[in-house]
Amino acid sequence: MAGEPRLRIRIDDGWRFRRDALAYEGAFGGLAFEWKQATVTSIDTAPTSELLGTDGWRPINRPRDVFRGRLGFAWFRANMGHDAKTAQKSLHFEGVDDNGAVYLNGKLLKTHYGWNDPFDVPLTAAWKNDSDNELVVLVQNTAGGGGITGDVSLVAPSKTRAGTPPEAGPNFLDMAWQRVHVPYDYVLDSPFDHRADTGHGSLATAPAWFRRDLDLPKSWQYKTVWIDFDGVYRDARVYLNGVLVGKQPSGYTPFRVSLKGAAHFGGRNILAVHVDPRKQEGWWYEGGGIYRHVWLNAADAVHVEPWSTFVKSDIRWRTDSPPTATAQIQTTLTNEAAHPASCLLSSDIIDPSGKRVAASKSPMMLPTLGARVVSVSLGVGRAQLWSLESPKLYHLNLSVYRNGKLVDSESTAFGVRSIRFDKDNGFFLNGKHVVLKGTCNHQDHAGVGIGVPDSLLEWRIRTLKKMGSNAYRTSHNPVASELLDDCDRLGMLVMDENRHLGDTETPKSSESTPCSDLSELKTLVERDRNHPSVIMWSMCNEEGIQGTKAGAAIFSAMMKVTNSLDGTRPISCAMNGGWGTGISLVEDLQGCNYDVRGYDGFHQRFPNIPMYGSETASTVSTRGVYENDPRAGYVSAYDLNAPPWGNTAEGGWKPIADRPFMAGGFVWTGFDYKGEPTPYGWPCINSHFGIMDICGFPKDDYYYYQSWWGDKPVVHLLPHWNWAGKEGKSVPVWCQTNADRVELFLNGHSQGVKQVPRYGHVSWDVVYKPGKLEARAVWKSGYRTSDIVETTGPPAALRVACDLPTVQADGEEVSPVRVEVVDALGRVVPTAENEVSFAVAGPSRVVGVGNGDPSSHEPDRGDHRHAFNGLCMALIGAAGQPGKVHVTVSSPGLKPAAIDLTSVNAGPLK
């Protein structure tokens, strides 16, 4: 008997949440470490009394780099006392760079391979209760800096319960738990703590539970019912009514769990999810929780297998008329019934205007509890091409009929376009040369952490496009599929990146054999292969064995899997070393991280391998700051910070722009992100790498890229001109512009005319006087415009703006509201730090706040925030019902401001 068409329901609401207690009992400072260089030759060498004598030891009271570029080994040791309670704990290392061997009382407890990858070491096996216990750690450094680079703490060992945890059961009392709406990053609620790992944002992590009621209709008992989790960080275990129905260790890979055998149809069910983010997968802030959408699915026993549909378009170019195309379609129909099924598959192609332009019908017999791969070829006349300027999207609508009744349907968006990487001339889209002007990005944002709503994902892409960017690297992991939808719809090219080399931990040596089923990679490719925005697959980033035969062997295995599922895009990775060896010898494209001096040499040695900058400039700067301040953790915004702080914007882009064989590059990064503070540690809690800060406020380098990536006139002066106390002293003044020449004026007096170098900037040294700086720019075309920076008065009022004033009333979407502290004349006060409060009337709430200060320890969730250099923001979230929203911002002593927003009916959530 045929059933009803497939249902897909978003179940992000109605969750109850409880975070476990932190198992954190102090950090590095709790152990008095000493260190010295070692002369051993292997990480497996055991300590001896000769090597660990009394000579050469130096005290070390915090995690730091002790190698300073030297390769080799170092010893670390500490006395752990003899408290019997300590024996029941584990020693937690947040980061060892690169590899470490841990000994207790001369016994090897653990050898850990992989830099800055947290790990635990149980102490019971070597603990002595009758005398002091000596901890010794041998650290190996294979490149760059190294040492014990993260905190060391005592933690309760991970507990494994026999049977079902009580929190997973249907009768567990959770009424007192917190009510949350996912996507939700609960690690963001932790207070900043100097003892926590600075690389991960100085926010301590702990396991947590999520629970939700789930009503399943009686009519679903003969259907195929499953739940899709788009992202859970991390080590997710999913229970239904106390039965373990699925698990996923990766925090980035979406996964699917069947409810078969555990569901109660026609009654109440309890869905419970346990997450444990204590083990990190990267070296940046990764958050924790159910941070992407959750979907409940119910389909007929005969249905299209999820992610099995693939549309490949072949273009036939014609000189006198628009091109035509052929859509090669492949999909899989599954029959989970206990008897064969006679079916009809209808395939319809809908063009960007909504018109059906091709169709076919495929009758077939599906075997009992079996599946069949179906291939269809459909012609598309006068094809409308997907491009950056006009990102046209087609849709493939599949309909499955059983006994003449519609039982399943699926719609897949795709684009008709061609891509080509040329060894001498870079990248071509639809035969047109395009320079990749890209940014790398992690997935967190101020106010929400990694739980970024769909509207904010789109806002970030639009903000990058305003800067002139046309490419996005998903560093270093699979991203939310909604972000790729935005790139498809808005016209943004994508370097789609897998988390790491293989799906298991990196082999400990170059002789190790690949030991991975590559299921995470398979999921990535199957999910993302229909997105026209995706122009290449990246298998990994900066892997330690990238230049070895073992690395090449794993990479080759990954290429084989990827090509078997797609075969239409080149395969690459981001390499920060080993160019010309290992992976370089097997990949399709050479991804170059930094080392601009190496471009020409590689191209000469390997002239047939196309090249691009997979990670270029990592300019370190703090918005609105023009002097380095190590104590506060701020870095000057002048584009001068050379290695080891990072490459300059100009130094990273010009070598690419001047070389036709370089297809373009991806800047590290578009936005600041939590964790990985550079060059300072605490009190910094986020990076300084972004062209924009973590709120999305532009830094000065934003205008450098806008000048040379965009096609509009740009002129931007820096710094601000509020320098009380510097009267009579020289201040560097820069102008970022794509003009031909610029003349600078101070209070009407010329400071000189400068010719603008291509891919550069112009500057003057100006003796400070309060007043008005003006840069008058002239282009070869004769066009003229200017930028003005003035000395402002004190803060007098607030000004508010929002470029996303309308959002869907789905309980998730947000509008980023920008607040400026201005003087009596309406000029932004560039040094203002006033505290701003947010109040909301209407169906909405304040979801989160931020200000872009990389050293701010104010919480991301709240209704107030201090301005940082004149700016702060709030994310105003829509409730579940539509209506008008009135937002008021206020600050003691300042004139308040307000703005009206609107939430509208969400419609079907698909």
Side-chain angles (χ1 to χ4, degrees):
M1 177 179 177
E4 299 174 344
R6 181 188 307 186
L7 294 174
R8 180 169 167 83
I9 306 168
R10 206 161 81 185
I11 53 170
D12 293 348
D13 60 338
W15 290 89
R16 300 176 294 279
F17 159 78
R18 188 200 72 192
R19 174 179 177 149
D20 290 352
L22 293 175
Y24 188 82
E25 299 185 3
F28 197 106
L31 295 172
F33 273 102
E34 297 177 301
W35 81 279
K36 72 173 184 177
Q37 293 185 12
T39 58
V40 298
T41 58
S42 170
I43 193 66
D44 299 313
T45 299
T48 66
S49 57
E50 179 180 351
L51 290 173
L52 301 180
T54 58
D55 297 333
W57 291 96
R58 286 173 281 178
I60 179 172
N61 58 11
R62 61 183 176 86
R64 66 181 177 90
D65 171 19
V66 301
F67 285 89
R68 298 186 178 276
R70 179 183 61 84
L71 307 186
F73 298 83
W75 294 110
F76 293 79
R77 72 179 181 184
N79 189 309
M80 298 191 66
H82 55 271
D83 187 343
K85 295 180 180 179
T86 305
Q88 306 306 314
K89 306 207 178 278
S90 292
L91 204 58
H92 177 75
F93 289 83
E94 281 288 351
V96 172
D97 188 354
D98 293 305
N99 307 313
V102 181
Y103 300 85
L104 185 64
N105 300 321
K107 181 176 181 178
L108 177 64
L109 297 182
K110 186 178 183 68
T111 302
H112 182 82
Y113 299 90
W115 65 286
N116 286 347
D117 177 27
F119 61 95
D120 290 351
V121 183
L123 301 174
T124 305
W127 190 262
K128 298 187 299 185
N129 292 323
D130 55 352
S131 61
D132 284 352
N133 292 264
E134 185 173 52
L135 171 70
V136 173
V137 183
L138 177 61
V139 175
Q140 179 186 20
N141 185 44
T142 62
I148 298 181
T149 53
D151 286 331
V152 183
S153 58
L154 286 170
V155 299
S158 300
K159 295 180 179 179
T160 57
R161 296 181 177 136
T164 302
E167 293 90 344
N171 299 319
F172 184 82
L173 300 179
D174 59 13
M175 291 84 72
W177 286 19
Q178 180 182 349
R179 305 285 171 150
V180 297
H181 190 114
V182 304
Y184 186 68
D185 174 6
Y186 69 85
V187 172
L188 199 68
D189 296 322
S190 305
F192 293 104
D193 190 331
H194 71 279
R195 300 171 300 172
D197 179 19
T198 55
H200 286 79
S202 298
L203 294 171
T205 58
W209 282 95
F210 291 79
R211 283 168 57 94
R212 188 191 191 280
D213 291 359
L214 202 62
D215 291 324
L216 302 176
K218 184 75 171 177
S219 59
W220 285 12
Q221 60 184 326
Y222 300 112
K223 288 183 175 290
T224 299
V225 183
W226 73 92
I227 294 177
D228 286 321
F229 289 89
D230 287 351
V232 180
Y233 198 86
R234 70 172 297 278
D235 197 14
R237 292 179 176 268
V238 182
Y239 300 84
L240 187 69
N241 302 320
V243 178
L244 180 66
V245 292
K247 55 186 177 179
Q248 171 58 264
S250 171
Y252 298 105
T253 300
F255 63 102
R256 183 172 298 122
V257 296
S258 171
L259 305 189
K260 183 178 181 180
H264 300 156
F265 294 103
R268 174 177 179 262
N269 296 261
I270 291 294
L271 178 65
V273 182
H274 184 258
V275 302
D276 188 349
R278 289 177 296 178
K279 177 177 172 57
Q280 288 90 8
E281 294 183 58
W283 47 93
W284 56 90
Y285 176 75
E286 298 179 281
I290 302 175
Y291 71 99
R292 293 179 185 163
H293 297 309
V294 184
W295 305 87
L296 175 64
N297 301 266
D300 188 80
V302 174
H303 58 271
V304 177
E305 185 70 18
W307 294 340
S308 70
T309 302
F310 179 37
V311 185
K312 180 173 66 173
S313 56
D314 298 322
I315 301 175
R316 292 187 297 277
W317 300 96
R318 298 185 293 183
T319 58
D320 56 346
S321 59
T324 62
T326 301
Q328 304 289 350
I329 302 165
Q330 180 177 293
T331 193
T332 300
L333 295 189
T334 296
N335 178 22
E336 297 190 12
H339 49 77
S342 177
C343 305
L344 176 71
L345 174 66
S346 175
S347 305
D348 299 295
I349 293 181
I350 311 300
D351 75 5
S353 68
K355 179 183 177 181
R356 187 172 68 174
V357 294
S360 75
K361 296 186 183 300
S362 308
M364 70 197 70
M365 180 67 71
L366 294 179
T368 301
L369 300 177
R372 179 174 174 181
V373 177
V374 183
S375 297
V376 176
S377 179
L378 293 176
V380 179
R382 301 182 66 86
Q384 301 180 56
L385 302 184
W386 185 93
S387 67
L388 297 176
E389 301 78 17
S390 182
K392 301 287 188 179
L393 290 173
Y394 286 80
H395 284 81
L396 168 66
N397 292 342
L398 298 178
S399 302
V400 182
Y401 296 86
R402 181 157 63 106
N403 298 330
K405 184 176 181 179
L406 178 67
V407 295
D408 195 29
S409 61
E410 178 187 81
S411 182
T412 300
F414 69 97
V416 178
R417 57 101 176 102
S418 69
I419 59 173
R420 177 171 64 89
F421 283 86
D422 185 86
K423 61 185 178 62
D424 297 314
N425 297 298
F427 174 70
F428 291 81
L429 177 65
N430 300 326
K432 176 185 175 182
H433 182 252
V434 174
V435 178
L436 301 180
K437 303 167 182 176
T439 64
C440 309
N441 293 284
H442 286 314
Q443 61 182 2
D444 66 301
H445 192 89
V448 290
I450 63 172
V452 182
D454 295 350
S455 59
L456 193 55
L457 290 174
E458 178 180 344
W459 180 87
R460 283 164 62 100
I461 296 298
R462 290 187 182 275
T463 303
L464 289 168
K465 284 182 66 69
K466 288 179 183 178
M467 184 181 70
S469 177
N470 63 14
Y472 189 104
R473 178 183 173 201
T474 65
S475 45
H476 303 294
N477 49 263
V479 295
S481 59
E482 289 78 13
L483 186 145
L484 299 181
D485 292 338
D486 294 333
C487 293
D488 289 345
R489 189 165 34 85
L490 300 176
M492 177 73 79
L493 304 170
V494 176
M495 174 182 177
D496 203 350
E497 191 154 273
N498 182 59
R499 173 62 205 98
H500 49 67
L501 191 63
D503 289 349
T504 56
E505 292 185 1
T506 301
K508 69 178 183 178
S509 72
S510 60
E511 290 78 29
S512 297
T513 302
C515 54
S516 168
D517 64 3
L518 300 178
S519 59
E520 293 176 18
L521 173 64
K522 182 174 182 288
T523 294
L524 170 71
V525 176
E526 287 183 331
R527 188 195 68 166
D528 296 351
R529 59 189 171 178
N530 289 305
H531 289 281
S533 57
V534 176
I535 60 169
M536 72 174 88
W537 302 111
S538 174
M539 299 292 98
C540 57
N541 172 71
E542 296 186 356
E543 288 286 345
I545 59 172
Q546 59 194 339
T548 68
K549 291 182 178 180
I554 299 175
F555 195 93
S556 295
M558 297 174 77
M559 288 185 72
K560 183 177 180 180
V561 168
T562 303
N563 282 325
S564 71
L565 298 171
D566 176 26
T568 68
R569 299 169 175 90
I571 301 173
S572 182
C573 73
M575 296 181 68
N576 66 332
W579 299 0
T581 62
I583 290 175
S584 285
L585 302 179
V586 295
E587 63 184 346
D588 298 322
L589 307 174
Q590 177 63 46
C592 304
N593 281 15
Y594 311 105
D595 192 14
V596 297
R597 295 169 297 181
Y599 295 166
D600 292 334
F602 183 89
H603 184 59
Q604 291 169 4
R605 289 186 295 129
F606 301 93
N608 294 320
I609 300 180
M611 298 175 64
Y612 69 100
S614 45
E615 194 169 313
T616 60
S618 56
T619 306
V620 181
S621 65
T622 305
R623 176 181 58 79
V625 173
Y626 300 96
E627 294 177 336
N628 292 335
D629 187 346
R631 185 171 183 177
Y634 300 149
V635 186
S636 169
Y638 293 111
D639 188 26
L640 294 172
N641 296 309
W645 287 9
N647 301 308
T648 66
E650 293 181 24
W653 181 245
K654 191 175 187 301
I656 290 175
D658 285 341
R659 288 165 171 78
F661 63 83
M662 293 296 292
F666 295 85
V667 177
W668 190 267
T669 54
F671 299 86
D672 280 346
Y673 53 92
K674 274 188 169 58
E676 207 172 8
T678 304
Y680 314 119
W682 183 267
C684 290
I685 48 81
N686 70 246
S687 78
H688 299 71
F689 294 123
I691 303 170
M692 290 171 278
D693 68 22
I694 199 168
C695 294
F697 297 141
K699 302 181 186 179
D700 292 295
D701 274 341
Y702 178 97
Y703 302 97
Y704 171 81
Y705 290 106
Q706 193 175 60
S707 296
W708 301 111
W709 283 3
D711 55 4
K712 296 179 181 179
V714 176
V715 55
H716 171 76
L717 268 177
L718 64 139
H720 61 72
W721 210 238
N722 283 29
W723 297 105
K726 285 195 173 184
E727 290 79 1
K729 297 180 180 179
S730 181
V731 175
V733 175
W734 286 29
C735 182
Q736 301 286 15
T737 182
N738 50 16
D740 181 53
R741 65 183 186 275
V742 181
E743 186 171 8
L744 181 70
F745 293 85
L746 173 60
N747 298 328
H749 299 287
S750 177
Q751 306 297 300
V753 178
K754 297 290 182 76
Q755 298 294 318
V756 181
R758 186 161 179 78
Y759 307 124
H761 72 282
V762 289
S763 63
W764 301 259
D765 288 324
V766 180
V767 176
Y768 177 67
K769 292 181 181 179
K772 181 172 74 173
L773 273 179
E774 181 178 7
R776 298 176 185 173
V778 181
W779 279 257
K780 291 180 180 179
S781 65
Y783 180 80
R784 298 168 181 264
T785 190
S786 63
D787 188 34
I788 294 174
V789 177
E790 295 182 282
T791 307
T792 73
L798 300 176
R799 184 165 60 211
V800 63
C802 178
D803 52 12
L804 189 60
T806 302
V807 295
Q808 294 188 15
D810 63 354
E812 298 181 16
E813 301 307 328
V814 299
S815 295
V817 172
R818 171 190 176 109
V819 178
E820 300 172 335
V821 181
V822 299
D823 68 2
L825 297 180
R827 301 170 298 191
V828 175
V829 181
T831 57
E833 298 180 351
N834 304 68
E835 185 176 34
V836 177
S837 296
F838 300 87
V840 179
S844 192
R845 70 198 191 285
V846 180
V847 171
V849 291
N851 61 11
D853 181 353
S855 297
S856 174
H857 298 159
E858 294 179 280
D860 277 64
R861 300 200 215 274
D863 60 3
H864 60 277
R865 190 68 175 239
H866 283 85
F868 177 62
N869 292 333
L871 305 176
C872 64
M873 55 80 70
L875 300 176
I876 306 301
Q881 64 271 9
K884 296 292 184 180
V885 176
H886 187 71
V887 182
T888 303
V889 296
S890 59
S891 182
L894 303 184
K895 183 180 178 180
I899 190 171
D900 289 324
L901 309 175
T902 304
S903 61
V904 298
N905 281 318
L909 301 176
K910 297 181 179 179

